[in-house]
């Protein structure tokens, strides 16, 4: 049995919910950006309306911000990124990171933990040898990461042939 306050509020302004959501605000801001690009509103008017859109609580308030704009306005979308960035957890980064930590560990041992405390007669050999091993690891990891000539990098979508 329905009691007082259980009624569903009627939809206003073509929106399903009377309370404005973040998605509703973003849609209105996109329409305002399109109107700015097509010079239907000035920069000051755009700034004012965006501020009002962000402060709007109801869909009716949002509908009022775009009521004077043409219905067939194309929404501005940001361009797609040209290429995805490498993740910090890719094999090359992990390998070089581990090699660097191990090389730093050699330095820490020689300077802080060695019984000779920096006067170790083999310190130079360990530091230079560690540097060469670190460089070798970096070179091998870079060669394993390299893409063969003429091949598309992994994850790239080939361009359609016209």
């Amino acid at each position: 049995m329905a009691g007082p306050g259980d009624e569903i509020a009627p939809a206003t302004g073509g929106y399903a919910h009377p309370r404005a959501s973040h998605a509703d605000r973003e849609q209105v801001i996109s329409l305002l950006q399109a109107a700015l690009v097509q010079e239907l509103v000035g920069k000051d008017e755009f700034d004012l309306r965006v501020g009002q859109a962000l402060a709007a609580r109801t869909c009716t308030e949002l509908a009022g911000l775009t009521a004077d704009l043409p219905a067939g306005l194309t929404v501005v979308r940001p361009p797609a990124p040209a290429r995805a960035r490498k993740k910090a957890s890719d094999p090359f980064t992990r390998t070089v990171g581990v090699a660097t930590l191990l090389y730093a560990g050699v330095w820490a041992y020689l300077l802080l933990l060695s019984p000779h405390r920096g006067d170790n007669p083999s310190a130079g050999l360990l530091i230079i040898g560690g540097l060469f091993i670190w460089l070798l690891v970096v070179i091998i990891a870079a060669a394993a990461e390299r893409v063969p000539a003429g091949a598309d990098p992994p994850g790239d979508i080939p361009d359609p042939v016209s």
Side-chain angles (χ1 to χ4, degrees):
M1 181 155 182
D6 291 339
E7 305 90 17
I8 298 174
T12 57
Y15 293 97
H17 303 288
R19 184 128 174 113
S21 68
H22 293 296
D24 294 331
R25 289 185 191 93
E26 291 297 323
Q27 182 179 9
V28 167
I29 291 171
S30 294
L31 288 171
L32 292 171
Q33 287 172 338
L36 178 67
V37 169
Q38 295 178 15
E39 298 179 355
L40 298 174
V41 295
K43 177 73 171 125
D44 293 336
E45 180 70 17
F46 170 77
D47 291 338
L48 178 69
R49 289 188 189 198
V50 167
Q52 290 172 344
L54 293 173
R57 299 185 134 203
T58 66
C59 292
T60 306
E61 293 172 5
L62 289 176
L65 296 173
T66 58
D68 62 333
L69 300 177
L73 209 55
T74 307
V75 175
V76 176
R77 290 197 177 104
R83 187 179 279 217
R85 292 183 179 172
K86 282 187 178 181
K87 293 182 181 177
S89 63
D90 68 358
F92 176 78
T93 305
R94 279 191 305 235
T95 303
V96 172
V98 168
T100 302
L101 286 174
L102 290 175
Y103 186 53
V106 169
W107 274 86
Y109 172 75
L110 288 174
L111 296 176
L112 303 173
L113 302 175
S114 172
H116 301 287
R117 300 270 177 169
D119 293 332
N120 193 339
S122 60
L125 178 65
L126 286 172
I127 290 173
I128 299 298
L131 178 62
F132 283 123
I133 290 172
W134 181 84
L135 285 173
L136 183 65
V137 167
V138 170
I139 290 169
I140 290 172
E145 182 76 9
R146 202 174 98 193
V147 177
D152 287 333
D156 268 5
I157 299 172
D159 293 331
V161 177
S162 329

